[in-house]
Amino acid sequence: MKHTPKILTLFGALLISISAWAVDASYYTNLNEKSGANLFNAIHTVANNGFKQLSYDNLWTAYETTDLYPAGHANAGKIWDMYSNCIFTSMTDKDTGSGNKECQYYNREHSIPKSWFCNCTTGMGADLFHLVPTDKIVNGKRGNNAFGEVASATYTYYNSKLGSAKNVTITNTVLGSSFTTSSVPSTVFEPDDEYKGDFARGYFGTMIKWTTAYTMSSGDGAWFFNNTYTEAGHFGLADYGIALLMKWHRQDPVSQKEIDRNNGIQATQGNRNPFIDYPCLAEYLWGNKAGETFSTASCCGSFEANFSVGSDGCTACATAVDPSTPTITVSETSVECGSVVVGNTTTATFTVSGSNLTADITLEVTGTGFSIDQTTLAPTNGTVAATTITVTFEPTAAGEQSGTITISSQGATNKTVSLHAVGTTAAVAPAPPTTPVVFFGTVVTGAHTFSGETATLHLHISDLATDVTVASSKTSIFTVSTSTTKNTITPDEAAAGVTITLTKIKAGQANLTITGGVVNETYAITFQ
Protein backbone atom coordinates (compact mmCIF):
# COMPACT_ATOMS: atom_id res chain seq x y z
CA MET A 1 0.00 0.00 0.00
CA LYS A 2 1.36 3.41 -0.90
CA HIS A 3 1.37 5.92 1.93
CA THR A 4 0.09 9.29 0.73
CA PRO A 5 1.33 12.35 2.68
CA LYS A 6 -1.36 14.45 4.35
CA ILE A 7 -1.66 18.16 3.67
CA LEU A 8 -1.56 21.09 6.02
CA THR A 9 -2.41 24.12 3.95
CA LEU A 10 -2.05 27.71 5.04
CA PHE A 11 -3.91 29.99 2.70
CA GLY A 12 -2.58 33.50 2.63
CA ALA A 13 -1.47 36.19 0.27
CA LEU A 14 1.84 37.93 0.43
CA LEU A 15 0.80 41.55 0.64
CA ILE A 16 3.46 44.03 -0.31
CA SER A 17 3.68 47.61 0.78
CA ILE A 18 4.11 49.86 -2.20
CA SER A 19 4.75 53.54 -1.85
CA ALA A 20 2.97 55.94 -4.14
CA TRP A 21 4.01 55.30 -7.73
CA ALA A 22 3.31 57.70 -10.54
CA VAL A 23 0.13 55.81 -11.41
CA ASP A 24 -3.18 54.86 -9.86
CA ALA A 25 -6.47 53.43 -11.07
CA SER A 26 -7.40 56.79 -12.68
CA TYR A 27 -4.56 56.22 -15.19
CA TYR A 28 -6.74 53.45 -16.66
CA THR A 29 -10.17 55.11 -16.41
CA ASN A 30 -10.70 54.97 -20.19
CA LEU A 31 -10.55 51.16 -20.10
CA ASN A 32 -13.67 50.92 -17.95
CA GLU A 33 -16.88 49.50 -19.43
CA LYS A 34 -15.08 48.30 -22.57
CA SER A 35 -14.71 44.84 -24.05
CA GLY A 36 -13.33 43.14 -27.14
CA ALA A 37 -11.94 45.40 -29.86
CA ASN A 38 -12.95 48.53 -27.95
CA LEU A 39 -10.92 47.37 -24.95
CA PHE A 40 -7.96 46.48 -27.19
CA ASN A 41 -7.97 49.96 -28.73
CA ALA A 42 -8.23 51.63 -25.32
CA ILE A 43 -5.24 49.63 -24.05
CA HIS A 44 -3.33 50.65 -27.20
CA THR A 45 -3.99 54.29 -26.35
CA VAL A 46 -2.94 54.06 -22.71
CA ALA A 47 0.21 52.09 -23.64
CA ASN A 48 1.32 55.15 -25.61
CA ASN A 49 0.64 57.65 -22.80
CA GLY A 50 3.78 59.66 -22.09
CA PHE A 51 5.97 57.66 -24.47
CA LYS A 52 9.23 59.28 -25.45
CA GLN A 53 11.55 57.60 -27.90
CA LEU A 54 14.89 56.43 -26.55
CA SER A 55 17.81 55.80 -28.86
CA TYR A 56 19.35 52.35 -28.96
CA ASP A 57 22.41 53.76 -27.18
CA ASN A 58 20.17 55.25 -24.46
CA LEU A 59 19.25 51.72 -23.38
CA TRP A 60 22.57 51.14 -21.58
CA THR A 61 21.82 54.06 -19.28
CA ALA A 62 18.13 53.17 -18.99
CA TYR A 63 19.04 49.70 -17.72
CA GLU A 64 20.60 51.35 -14.67
CA THR A 65 17.06 52.43 -13.74
CA THR A 66 15.07 49.46 -15.04
CA ASP A 67 17.24 46.38 -14.62
CA LEU A 68 19.51 46.56 -11.58
CA TYR A 69 19.11 44.23 -8.62
CA PRO A 70 17.54 46.27 -5.78
CA ALA A 71 19.16 47.38 -2.55
CA GLY A 72 19.23 44.58 -0.01
CA HIS A 73 19.66 41.86 -2.65
CA ALA A 74 22.90 39.86 -2.67
CA ASN A 75 23.57 41.26 -6.18
CA ALA A 76 22.43 44.82 -5.40
CA GLY A 77 23.47 47.31 -8.08
CA LYS A 78 24.34 44.64 -10.66
CA ILE A 79 22.58 44.07 -13.99
CA TRP A 80 19.69 41.59 -13.74
CA ASP A 81 20.27 39.17 -16.65
CA MET A 82 17.05 37.44 -17.77
CA TYR A 83 18.65 34.59 -19.78
CA SER A 84 21.17 33.27 -17.23
CA ASN A 85 22.47 33.65 -13.71
CA CYS A 86 25.42 35.77 -14.79
CA ILE A 87 26.20 38.87 -12.73
CA PHE A 88 27.25 41.96 -14.70
CA THR A 89 28.52 45.41 -13.77
CA SER A 90 26.46 48.01 -15.60
CA MET A 91 28.73 49.98 -17.92
CA THR A 92 31.85 47.85 -17.41
CA ASP A 93 30.41 44.62 -18.82
CA LYS A 94 28.24 45.92 -21.65
CA ASP A 95 28.76 44.30 -25.07
CA THR A 96 31.95 45.49 -26.72
CA GLY A 97 31.77 43.25 -29.77
CA SER A 98 34.22 40.75 -28.30
CA GLY A 99 34.01 37.83 -25.89
CA ASN A 100 33.64 34.12 -26.50
CA LYS A 101 32.09 32.62 -23.36
CA GLU A 102 29.13 33.06 -21.05
CA CYS A 103 29.15 35.70 -18.32
CA GLN A 104 31.70 38.01 -20.00
CA TYR A 105 29.37 40.63 -21.47
CA TYR A 106 25.67 41.46 -21.61
CA ASN A 107 23.79 43.05 -24.49
CA ARG A 108 20.45 44.57 -25.44
CA GLU A 109 18.22 41.64 -26.32
CA HIS A 110 15.22 42.10 -28.59
CA SER A 111 13.05 39.45 -26.94
CA ILE A 112 10.88 39.98 -30.03
CA PRO A 113 13.71 39.57 -32.59
CA LYS A 114 14.03 42.68 -34.73
CA SER A 115 14.24 40.54 -37.88
CA TRP A 116 10.56 39.75 -37.28
CA PHE A 117 9.45 43.35 -37.71
CA CYS A 118 11.94 45.87 -39.08
CA ASN A 119 15.60 44.93 -38.53
CA CYS A 120 15.79 48.34 -36.88
CA THR A 121 17.05 49.84 -33.64
CA THR A 122 14.61 52.74 -33.60
CA GLY A 123 10.90 52.84 -32.74
CA MET A 124 9.84 49.37 -31.65
CA GLY A 125 13.48 48.36 -32.14
CA ALA A 126 14.45 50.39 -29.04
CA ASP A 127 11.36 49.80 -26.86
CA LEU A 128 12.14 48.82 -23.25
CA PHE A 129 8.91 46.83 -23.08
CA HIS A 130 10.72 43.97 -24.84
CA LEU A 131 14.41 44.95 -24.88
CA VAL A 132 16.10 43.44 -21.82
CA PRO A 133 19.71 42.87 -20.73
CA THR A 134 20.93 39.31 -21.35
CA ASP A 135 24.18 37.40 -21.52
CA LYS A 136 25.71 37.99 -24.94
CA ILE A 137 26.62 34.35 -25.68
CA VAL A 138 23.29 32.90 -24.52
CA ASN A 139 21.51 35.57 -26.59
CA GLY A 140 23.60 34.54 -29.58
CA LYS A 141 22.63 30.91 -29.07
CA ARG A 142 18.98 31.92 -29.17
CA GLY A 143 19.42 33.90 -32.40
CA ASN A 144 16.08 34.66 -34.04
CA ASN A 145 14.40 31.47 -32.83
CA ALA A 146 10.96 31.72 -31.30
CA PHE A 147 10.27 31.29 -27.61
CA GLY A 148 8.80 27.93 -26.72
CA GLU A 149 9.00 24.92 -24.42
CA VAL A 150 11.87 22.58 -25.24
CA ALA A 151 11.24 18.86 -25.64
CA SER A 152 14.87 17.92 -26.32
CA ALA A 153 17.67 20.42 -25.63
CA THR A 154 20.72 20.91 -27.84
CA TYR A 155 22.08 23.73 -25.64
CA THR A 156 21.52 24.51 -21.97
CA TYR A 157 22.91 27.33 -19.84
CA TYR A 158 21.64 27.51 -16.28
CA ASN A 159 17.86 27.26 -16.75
CA SER A 160 17.67 28.55 -20.34
CA LYS A 161 17.81 26.09 -23.22
CA LEU A 162 17.51 25.71 -26.99
CA GLY A 163 16.06 22.71 -28.77
CA SER A 164 13.07 21.07 -30.41
CA ALA A 165 9.61 22.25 -29.29
CA LYS A 166 6.72 20.47 -27.64
CA ASN A 167 3.03 21.27 -27.97
CA VAL A 168 1.33 23.76 -25.66
CA THR A 169 -2.19 23.49 -24.22
CA ILE A 170 -4.20 26.23 -22.51
CA THR A 171 -7.80 26.95 -21.57
CA ASN A 172 -9.41 29.66 -23.71
CA THR A 173 -13.13 30.40 -23.71
CA VAL A 174 -13.07 31.78 -27.26
CA LEU A 175 -10.84 29.20 -28.94
CA GLY A 176 -12.25 26.26 -27.02
CA SER A 177 -12.25 25.00 -23.45
CA SER A 178 -9.04 23.06 -24.09
CA PHE A 179 -7.06 24.63 -26.91
CA THR A 180 -3.89 22.89 -28.11
CA THR A 181 -1.57 24.31 -30.76
CA SER A 182 -1.70 22.09 -33.84
CA SER A 183 1.91 22.79 -34.77
CA VAL A 184 5.00 24.37 -33.23
CA PRO A 185 8.26 25.92 -34.48
CA SER A 186 10.99 23.38 -35.20
CA THR A 187 13.54 25.01 -32.87
CA VAL A 188 12.69 27.15 -29.86
CA PHE A 189 14.41 28.96 -27.00
CA GLU A 190 13.04 28.43 -23.49
CA PRO A 191 14.04 30.98 -20.81
CA ASP A 192 14.15 30.35 -17.08
CA ASP A 193 10.70 29.69 -15.53
CA GLU A 194 11.21 32.78 -13.34
CA TYR A 195 10.99 35.12 -16.34
CA LYS A 196 8.48 33.43 -18.67
CA GLY A 197 5.58 35.59 -17.51
CA ASP A 198 7.78 38.71 -17.77
CA PHE A 199 8.48 37.93 -21.43
CA ALA A 200 4.81 37.11 -22.14
CA ARG A 201 3.63 40.45 -20.77
CA GLY A 202 6.48 42.18 -22.62
CA TYR A 203 5.13 40.66 -25.86
CA PHE A 204 1.55 41.71 -25.02
CA GLY A 205 2.54 45.28 -24.18
CA THR A 206 4.87 45.75 -27.16
CA MET A 207 2.40 44.36 -29.69
CA ILE A 208 -0.55 46.40 -28.41
CA LYS A 209 1.49 49.61 -28.27
CA TRP A 210 2.83 49.43 -31.85
CA THR A 211 -0.06 47.59 -33.62
CA THR A 212 -0.16 48.77 -37.24
CA ALA A 213 3.16 50.63 -37.04
CA TYR A 214 4.96 47.38 -37.90
CA THR A 215 4.25 44.03 -39.47
CA MET A 216 5.53 41.68 -36.79
CA SER A 217 5.14 38.34 -38.54
CA SER A 218 8.32 37.91 -40.58
CA GLY A 219 10.21 34.65 -39.98
CA ASP A 220 9.28 32.96 -36.74
CA GLY A 221 7.22 36.03 -35.81
CA ALA A 222 4.33 34.43 -37.71
CA TRP A 223 4.03 31.90 -34.91
CA PHE A 224 3.16 34.75 -32.51
CA PHE A 225 1.56 37.62 -34.43
CA ASN A 226 -1.15 37.74 -37.10
CA ASN A 227 -1.32 41.56 -37.48
CA THR A 228 -5.13 41.46 -37.25
CA TYR A 229 -6.32 43.48 -34.29
CA THR A 230 -10.10 43.13 -34.49
CA GLU A 231 -10.55 39.35 -34.51
CA ALA A 232 -12.21 38.22 -31.27
CA GLY A 233 -10.04 35.85 -29.27
CA HIS A 234 -6.90 36.68 -31.27
CA PHE A 235 -6.43 40.48 -31.29
CA GLY A 236 -3.04 40.49 -32.99
CA LEU A 237 -1.83 37.09 -31.79
CA ALA A 238 -1.60 33.82 -33.75
CA ASP A 239 -2.75 30.53 -32.23
CA TYR A 240 0.70 29.49 -31.01
CA GLY A 241 1.33 32.94 -29.55
CA ILE A 242 -1.91 32.82 -27.58
CA ALA A 243 -1.28 29.30 -26.29
CA LEU A 244 2.33 29.82 -25.23
CA LEU A 245 2.16 33.39 -23.94
CA MET A 246 -1.05 32.90 -21.97
CA LYS A 247 0.34 29.73 -20.43
CA TRP A 248 3.48 31.58 -19.32
CA HIS A 249 1.45 34.60 -18.19
CA ARG A 250 -0.57 32.35 -15.88
CA GLN A 251 2.28 30.17 -14.64
CA ASP A 252 4.59 33.09 -13.78
CA PRO A 253 2.48 35.96 -12.36
CA VAL A 254 3.71 39.52 -11.92
CA SER A 255 6.68 39.71 -9.53
CA GLN A 256 8.14 42.60 -7.56
CA LYS A 257 11.01 42.68 -10.08
CA GLU A 258 8.51 43.27 -12.86
CA ILE A 259 6.67 45.97 -10.90
CA ASP A 260 9.96 47.76 -10.25
CA ARG A 261 10.95 47.46 -13.91
CA ASN A 262 7.62 48.93 -15.05
CA ASN A 263 8.17 51.92 -12.78
CA GLY A 264 11.69 52.24 -14.18
CA ILE A 265 10.36 52.19 -17.73
CA GLN A 266 8.01 55.06 -16.92
CA ALA A 267 10.94 56.97 -15.39
CA THR A 268 13.04 56.57 -18.56
CA GLN A 269 10.72 55.90 -21.52
CA GLY A 270 7.65 57.68 -20.13
CA ASN A 271 4.97 55.01 -20.66
CA ARG A 272 3.86 51.88 -18.81
CA ASN A 273 3.00 48.31 -19.76
CA PRO A 274 -0.75 47.92 -18.97
CA PHE A 275 -0.40 44.11 -18.69
CA ILE A 276 1.96 44.53 -15.75
CA ASP A 277 -0.22 47.16 -14.06
CA TYR A 278 -3.39 45.10 -14.61
CA PRO A 279 -2.29 41.50 -15.36
CA CYS A 280 -5.92 40.40 -15.66
CA LEU A 281 -6.24 42.41 -18.91
CA ALA A 282 -4.73 39.45 -20.78
CA GLU A 283 -7.67 37.28 -19.69
CA TYR A 284 -10.14 39.86 -21.07
CA LEU A 285 -8.52 39.67 -24.53
CA TRP A 286 -7.15 36.13 -24.90
CA GLY A 287 -8.31 34.17 -21.89
CA ASN A 288 -11.18 33.10 -19.69
CA LYS A 289 -12.80 36.55 -19.57
CA ALA A 290 -12.61 37.20 -23.31
CA GLY A 291 -15.57 39.30 -24.43
CA GLU A 292 -16.48 40.41 -20.90
CA THR A 293 -16.58 44.07 -19.90
CA PHE A 294 -13.49 45.29 -18.03
CA SER A 295 -13.62 47.41 -14.89
CA THR A 296 -10.72 48.61 -12.77
CA ALA A 297 -13.00 48.22 -9.74
CA SER A 298 -13.26 44.46 -10.27
CA CYS A 299 -9.52 43.91 -10.70
CA CYS A 300 -6.45 44.59 -8.58
CA GLY A 301 -3.57 46.56 -10.07
CA SER A 302 0.02 45.62 -9.27
CA PHE A 303 0.62 49.27 -8.31
CA GLU A 304 -2.02 49.11 -5.55
CA ALA A 305 -0.98 48.79 -1.91
CA ASN A 306 -2.94 45.57 -1.35
CA PHE A 307 -1.87 43.75 -4.52
CA SER A 308 -0.68 40.22 -3.74
CA VAL A 309 2.54 39.48 -5.59
CA GLY A 310 1.94 36.21 -7.43
CA SER A 311 -1.81 36.74 -7.93
CA ASP A 312 -3.59 37.14 -11.27
CA GLY A 313 -5.21 40.42 -10.19
CA CYS A 314 -8.62 39.25 -11.44
CA THR A 315 -10.45 40.15 -8.23
CA ALA A 316 -10.70 43.47 -6.43
CA CYS A 317 -7.92 44.29 -3.97
CA ALA A 318 -8.46 43.21 -0.38
CA THR A 319 -9.27 46.00 2.03
CA ALA A 320 -6.21 47.13 3.96
CA VAL A 321 -6.10 46.21 7.64
CA ASP A 322 -5.87 49.15 10.02
CA PRO A 323 -2.27 48.92 11.30
CA SER A 324 -3.44 49.76 14.82
CA THR A 325 -5.96 46.91 14.97
CA PRO A 326 -5.11 44.10 17.44
CA THR A 327 -4.05 41.18 15.30
CA ILE A 328 -3.38 37.49 15.97
CA THR A 329 -1.33 35.46 13.50
CA VAL A 330 -1.01 31.66 13.40
CA SER A 331 1.39 29.62 11.28
CA GLU A 332 -1.12 26.82 10.65
CA THR A 333 -4.86 26.52 10.23
CA SER A 334 -4.84 22.79 10.92
CA VAL A 335 -2.58 20.35 12.72
CA GLU A 336 -2.37 16.63 11.94
CA CYS A 337 -1.17 14.35 14.78
CA GLY A 338 -1.36 11.10 12.80
CA SER A 339 -2.07 7.61 14.11
CA VAL A 340 -1.19 6.84 17.73
CA VAL A 341 -1.52 3.58 19.68
CA VAL A 342 -3.80 3.88 22.72
CA GLY A 343 -1.67 4.62 25.76
CA ASN A 344 1.02 6.38 23.75
CA THR A 345 1.38 10.09 22.92
CA THR A 346 2.52 12.18 20.02
CA THR A 347 3.11 15.91 19.59
CA ALA A 348 2.87 18.52 16.85
CA THR A 349 3.59 22.24 16.87
CA PHE A 350 2.52 25.55 15.38
CA THR A 351 3.27 29.17 16.25
CA VAL A 352 1.16 32.08 17.48
CA SER A 353 2.11 35.77 17.41
CA GLY A 354 0.28 39.06 17.91
CA SER A 355 0.59 42.80 17.36
CA ASN A 356 -1.15 45.93 18.68
CA LEU A 357 -2.63 43.84 21.48
CA THR A 358 -4.41 45.36 24.48
CA ALA A 359 -4.87 42.08 26.38
CA ASP A 360 -3.42 38.56 26.70
CA ILE A 361 -3.85 35.99 23.97
CA THR A 362 -5.80 33.03 25.31
CA LEU A 363 -5.89 29.55 23.80
CA GLU A 364 -8.71 27.07 24.47
CA VAL A 365 -8.60 23.48 23.20
CA THR A 366 -11.51 21.12 22.67
CA GLY A 367 -11.50 17.52 21.48
CA THR A 368 -10.93 14.17 23.20
CA GLY A 369 -7.28 13.34 23.79
CA PHE A 370 -5.88 16.74 22.77
CA SER A 371 -4.01 19.15 25.06
CA ILE A 372 -1.68 22.15 24.63
CA ASP A 373 1.30 23.31 26.66
CA GLN A 374 0.31 27.00 26.89
CA THR A 375 -3.08 28.63 27.36
CA THR A 376 -2.07 32.29 27.89
CA LEU A 377 0.44 34.48 26.06
CA ALA A 378 1.11 37.90 27.58
CA PRO A 379 2.09 40.75 25.23
CA THR A 380 5.05 43.06 25.77
CA ASN A 381 4.29 46.58 24.56
CA GLY A 382 1.36 45.13 22.63
CA THR A 383 3.40 42.43 20.90
CA VAL A 384 3.64 38.66 21.30
CA ALA A 385 6.62 37.32 19.38
CA ALA A 386 6.16 34.08 17.45
CA THR A 387 5.65 31.47 20.18
CA THR A 388 5.66 27.72 19.62
CA ILE A 389 2.56 25.91 20.86
CA THR A 390 2.93 22.16 21.39
CA VAL A 391 -0.16 20.03 20.80
CA THR A 392 -0.19 16.63 22.53
CA PHE A 393 -2.50 13.80 21.49
CA GLU A 394 -2.99 10.88 23.92
CA PRO A 395 -5.82 8.60 22.79
CA THR A 396 -7.86 6.73 25.35
CA ALA A 397 -9.70 4.62 22.79
CA ALA A 398 -9.36 3.58 19.18
CA GLY A 399 -10.98 5.80 16.59
CA GLU A 400 -10.73 9.07 14.70
CA GLN A 401 -10.63 12.24 16.80
CA SER A 402 -11.07 15.90 15.85
CA GLY A 403 -10.61 19.03 17.90
CA THR A 404 -10.21 22.80 17.74
CA ILE A 405 -7.97 25.38 19.32
CA THR A 406 -9.62 28.80 19.62
CA ILE A 407 -7.17 31.68 19.92
CA SER A 408 -8.50 35.07 21.03
CA SER A 409 -7.59 38.47 22.45
CA GLN A 410 -9.72 41.54 23.15
CA GLY A 411 -10.40 43.48 19.94
CA ALA A 412 -8.69 40.93 17.67
CA THR A 413 -10.34 38.58 15.21
CA ASN A 414 -10.35 35.07 16.66
CA LYS A 415 -8.22 32.44 14.97
CA THR A 416 -8.91 28.71 15.00
CA VAL A 417 -6.66 25.73 14.40
CA SER A 418 -8.35 22.43 13.62
CA LEU A 419 -6.92 19.21 15.07
CA HIS A 420 -7.08 15.66 13.75
CA ALA A 421 -5.66 12.34 14.92
CA VAL A 422 -6.50 8.64 15.00
CA GLY A 423 -6.24 6.35 18.02
CA THR A 424 -5.30 2.75 17.19
CA THR A 425 -5.12 -0.46 19.18
CA ALA A 426 -1.94 -1.66 17.51
CA ALA A 427 1.02 -0.16 15.74
CA VAL A 428 0.44 0.52 12.06
CA ALA A 429 2.14 -2.14 9.95
CA PRO A 430 5.15 -0.82 8.04
CA ALA A 431 4.87 -0.28 4.32
CA PRO A 432 6.20 -3.00 1.98
CA PRO A 433 9.91 -2.57 1.21
CA THR A 434 9.13 -1.22 -2.28
CA THR A 435 6.90 1.57 -1.02
CA PRO A 436 8.56 4.45 0.85
CA VAL A 437 6.67 6.90 3.01
CA VAL A 438 7.53 10.56 3.57
CA PHE A 439 6.68 12.46 6.74
CA PHE A 440 7.34 16.14 7.47
CA GLY A 441 7.07 16.37 11.24
CA THR A 442 3.99 18.59 11.62
CA VAL A 443 2.84 17.27 8.30
CA VAL A 444 3.49 19.65 5.38
CA THR A 445 2.42 18.41 1.98
CA GLY A 446 1.16 19.86 -1.24
CA ALA A 447 1.67 23.54 -0.39
CA HIS A 448 2.83 25.66 2.52
CA THR A 449 3.60 29.29 3.32
CA PHE A 450 6.40 30.51 5.58
CA SER A 451 6.83 34.02 6.92
CA GLY A 452 10.37 33.81 8.37
CA GLU A 453 13.81 33.88 6.79
CA THR A 454 14.25 30.12 7.26
CA ALA A 455 11.99 27.12 7.66
CA THR A 456 12.94 23.79 9.18
CA LEU A 457 11.26 20.55 8.10
CA HIS A 458 11.91 17.01 9.33
CA LEU A 459 12.10 14.28 6.69
CA HIS A 460 11.71 10.56 7.37
CA ILE A 461 11.43 8.01 4.57
CA SER A 462 11.18 4.30 5.34
CA ASP A 463 11.86 1.36 3.05
CA LEU A 464 13.91 3.23 0.46
CA ALA A 465 15.72 1.19 -2.18
CA THR A 466 17.69 4.10 -3.68
CA ASP A 467 19.05 7.51 -2.69
CA VAL A 468 16.71 10.50 -2.85
CA THR A 469 17.54 14.10 -3.68
CA VAL A 470 15.95 17.21 -2.17
CA ALA A 471 16.10 20.40 -4.23
CA SER A 472 14.58 23.84 -4.84
CA SER A 473 13.11 24.51 -8.28
CA LYS A 474 14.16 28.16 -7.98
CA THR A 475 17.22 28.87 -5.90
CA SER A 476 16.47 32.54 -6.46
CA ILE A 477 13.48 32.08 -4.09
CA PHE A 478 14.95 29.68 -1.53
CA THR A 479 17.86 27.28 -1.13
CA VAL A 480 17.86 23.85 0.49
CA SER A 481 20.37 22.41 2.98
CA THR A 482 20.22 19.26 5.09
CA SER A 483 21.66 18.00 8.36
CA THR A 484 23.63 15.46 6.31
CA THR A 485 25.47 18.42 4.64
CA LYS A 486 24.47 17.14 1.23
CA ASN A 487 21.25 17.15 -0.76
CA THR A 488 21.42 13.48 -1.77
CA ILE A 489 20.19 11.33 1.09
CA THR A 490 20.89 7.62 1.46
CA PRO A 491 18.22 5.10 2.51
CA ASP A 492 19.87 4.73 5.95
CA GLU A 493 19.96 8.50 6.49
CA ALA A 494 16.34 8.84 5.37
CA ALA A 495 15.21 6.07 7.70
CA ALA A 496 17.00 7.70 10.64
CA GLY A 497 15.49 11.10 9.86
CA VAL A 498 17.01 14.19 8.25
CA THR A 499 16.45 17.87 9.03
CA ILE A 500 15.86 20.04 5.95
CA THR A 501 16.42 23.80 6.17
CA LEU A 502 14.87 26.14 3.59
CA THR A 503 16.62 29.52 3.45
CA LYS A 504 14.70 32.43 1.93
CA ILE A 505 16.48 34.40 -0.80
CA LYS A 506 13.51 36.57 -1.69
CA ALA A 507 9.72 36.51 -1.44
CA GLY A 508 7.95 34.25 -3.91
CA GLN A 509 6.98 30.67 -4.66
CA ALA A 510 9.07 27.71 -5.77
CA ASN A 511 8.82 23.95 -5.48
CA LEU A 512 10.61 21.74 -2.97
CA THR A 513 11.14 18.38 -4.67
CA ILE A 514 12.08 15.00 -3.26
CA THR A 515 12.93 12.50 -5.98
CA GLY A 516 14.65 9.16 -6.37
CA GLY A 517 13.49 5.64 -7.15
CA VAL A 518 9.74 5.45 -6.53
CA VAL A 519 9.71 8.75 -4.65
CA ASN A 520 8.48 11.75 -6.65
CA GLU A 521 7.06 14.39 -4.28
CA THR A 522 6.55 18.09 -5.00
CA TYR A 523 5.67 20.75 -2.42
CA ALA A 524 4.73 24.32 -3.41
CA ILE A 525 6.59 26.53 -0.93
CA THR A 526 5.83 30.24 -0.58
CA PHE A 527 8.07 32.60 1.38
CA GLN A 528 6.46 35.88 2.38
Side-chain angles (χ1 to χ4, degrees):
M1 181 178 71
K2 183 175 181 179
H3 292 255
T4 302
K6 296 183 176 67
I7 299 176
L8 286 184
T9 304
L10 175 63
F11 292 99
L14 173 59
L15 296 181
I16 60 169
S17 176
I18 307 176
S19 55
W21 303 125
V23 65
D24 56 27
S26 65
Y27 192 89
Y28 290 97
T29 297
N30 289 338
L31 273 56
N32 285 324
E33 306 307 317
K34 291 183 174 65
S35 62
N38 290 331
L39 178 60
F40 181 94
N41 292 333
I43 300 171
H44 165 71
T45 298
V46 79
N48 280 278
N49 284 349
F51 175 74
K52 55 186 178 184
Q53 180 69 63
L54 299 180
S55 71
Y56 194 53
D57 285 341
N58 289 153
L59 298 182
W60 298 119
T61 303
Y63 287 155
E64 294 187 319
T65 300
T66 59
D67 289 274
L68 295 185
Y69 284 95
H73 193 281
N75 301 324
K78 299 295 185 180
I79 288 291
W80 199 320
D81 172 10
M82 291 174 65
Y83 276 0
S84 69
N85 286 342
C86 298
I87 306 301
F88 297 107
T89 300
S90 177
M91 292 299 180
T92 304
D93 297 333
K94 67 180 183 180
D95 183 11
T96 63
S98 59
N100 56 10
K101 62 182 180 180
E102 292 94 342
C103 295
Q104 280 185 302
Y105 300 105
Y106 72 96
N107 58 11
R108 299 155 292 186
E109 160 69 327
H110 292 82
S111 62
I112 303 175
K114 63 180 183 291
S115 65
W116 294 3
F117 57 92
C118 70
N119 265 320
C120 59
T121 54
T122 59
M124 180 176 160
D127 188 344
L128 283 168
F129 278 11
H130 77 112
L131 271 113
V132 298
T134 63
D135 179 83
K136 176 182 178 180
I137 298 300
V138 181
N139 184 10
K141 292 290 187 181
R142 181 210 170 176
N144 296 328
N145 290 299
F147 281 148
E149 296 186 351
V150 171
S152 177
T154 57
Y155 168 83
T156 300
Y157 191 71
Y158 284 102
N159 293 323
S160 294
K161 50 195 171 184
L162 183 75
S164 59
K166 58 185 178 182
N167 288 341
V168 184
T169 302
I170 64 160
T171 300
N172 183 294
T173 55
V174 175
L175 303 176
S177 59
S178 182
F179 169 66
T180 305
T181 54
S182 58
S183 59
V184 295
S186 57
T187 302
V188 295
F189 179 82
E190 182 174 357
D192 191 320
D193 288 348
E194 185 173 356
Y195 307 116
K196 286 178 177 176
D198 303 48
F199 285 120
R201 287 176 287 275
Y203 270 47
F204 296 154
T206 303
M207 181 273 291
I208 209 166
K209 180 202 179 305
W210 293 99
T211 56
T212 56
Y214 297 94
T215 298
M216 304 179 198
S217 54
S218 297
D220 276 355
W223 290 103
F224 288 89
F225 307 110
N226 67 7
N227 302 297
T228 301
Y229 305 107
T230 58
E231 183 182 358
H234 284 86
F235 293 118
L237 296 181
D239 286 354
Y240 176 81
I242 294 171
L244 183 75
L245 298 177
M246 284 299 294
K247 180 180 181 183
W248 287 5
H249 167 71
R250 291 166 176 170
Q251 288 181 341
D252 175 33
V254 171
S255 65
Q256 188 61 50
K257 173 197 185 304
E258 210 172 347
I259 294 169
D260 293 342
R261 188 171 198 271
N262 202 23
N263 293 322
I265 289 175
Q266 185 180 29
T268 52
Q269 188 173 275
N271 59 338
R272 301 181 65 86
N273 186 335
F275 296 96
I276 298 173
D277 281 339
Y278 277 111
C280 195
L281 281 171
E283 296 290 348
Y284 282 84
L285 294 179
W286 304 290
N288 296 326
K289 293 181 177 292
E292 294 182 21
T293 299
F294 176 80
S295 170
T296 54
S298 61
C299 296
C300 191
S302 66
F303 51 83
E304 297 188 65
N306 296 322
F307 180 78
S308 298
V309 170
S311 73
D312 62 11
C314 286
T315 56
C317 289
T319 302
V321 176
D322 184 341
S324 65
T325 300
T327 302
I328 299 170
T329 302
V330 296
S331 63
E332 316 289 347
T333 56
S334 60
V335 169
E336 174 61 52
C337 292
S339 298
V340 184
V341 176
V342 173
N344 293 342
T345 62
T346 190
T347 61
T349 62
F350 67 100
T351 63
V352 176
S353 59
S355 59
N356 302 310
L357 299 173
T358 59
D360 292 349
I361 293 177
T362 59
L363 299 92
E364 182 179 358
V365 61
T366 60
T368 303
F370 295 104
S371 62
I372 54 178
D373 65 336
Q374 299 184 74
T375 57
T376 303
L377 304 177
T380 300
N381 296 324
T383 299
V384 169
T387 303
T388 299
I389 305 297
T390 300
V391 180
T392 299
F393 177 61
E394 185 175 4
T396 57
E400 187 174 26
Q401 296 292 340
S402 297
T404 300
I405 301 174
T406 302
I407 306 164
S408 59
S409 182
Q410 183 177 347
T413 300
N414 290 356
K415 295 296 177 71
T416 58
V417 177
S418 61
L419 306 174
H420 179 268
V422 178
T424 63
T425 55
V428 178
T434 57
T435 306
V437 58
V438 182
F439 293 100
F440 272 87
T442 303
V443 184
V444 176
T445 59
H448 200 73
T449 298
F450 296 105
S451 58
E453 296 302 309
T454 62
T456 301
L457 305 174
H458 304 288
L459 171 69
H460 167 75
I461 313 179
S462 62
D463 305 310
L464 272 179
T466 61
D467 293 350
V468 294
T469 299
V470 296
S472 169
S473 66
K474 293 183 182 180
T475 55
S476 60
I477 301 298
F478 68 82
T479 58
V480 178
S481 59
T482 73
S483 56
T484 66
T485 72
K486 60 186 185 302
N487 286 30
T488 299
I489 300 169
T490 68
D492 287 343
E493 291 169 336
V498 176
T499 297
I500 298 174
T501 300
L502 311 183
T503 301
K504 172 183 174 182
I505 303 301
K506 65 178 182 180
Q509 184 184 83
N511 291 333
L512 171 65
T513 59
I514 305 173
T515 55
V518 297
V519 177
N520 186 15
E521 304 291 343
T522 299
Y523 307 89
I525 302 295
T526 299
F527 270 98
Q528 294 183 336

